[in-house]
Amino acid sequence: MTLAGLGDSLTYGWEVSRGFFDRFVDALEDHHPKAHVQRINAGVPGDMAPQGLGRLDRVLEQHPDVVFVQF
């Protein structure tokens, strides 16, 4: 399964060891250790929803199964 996180600095993980998206996927993997999860962290620090919308097509071109939008 491929999960994508489209968002801002909280998604990306600005100035922290792991952003929200990576922590979320880590927790999923901990609860489902046999699952193979690919992640696409499309968080960009400083972005707002309009900029994220402009990047959505590039994220969808990677064919994720689920996209989390986090702004």
Side-chain angles (χ1 to χ4, degrees):
M1 171 177 282
T2 301
L3 304 178
L6 176 66
D8 54 18
S9 58
L10 296 175
T11 303
Y12 174 79
W14 182 254
E15 294 191 11
V16 294
S17 62
R18 314 251 324 135
F20 175 79
F21 176 70
D22 286 321
R23 289 176 184 267
F24 177 78
V25 176
D26 290 346
L28 283 176
E29 291 175 327
D30 287 346
H31 282 87
H32 303 282
K34 293 183 180 181
H36 177 68
V37 180
Q38 291 184 297
R39 47 183 99 191
I40 302 166
N41 188 334
V44 175
D47 257 13
M48 293 187 286
Q51 290 84 16
L53 183 59
R55 294 185 291 108
L56 180 59
D57 286 341
R58 284 178 279 177
V59 172
L60 295 177
E61 287 172 358
Q62 299 179 60
H63 305 287
D65 296 297
V66 177
V67 177
F68 295 91
V69 178
Q70 306 166 244
F71 286 94

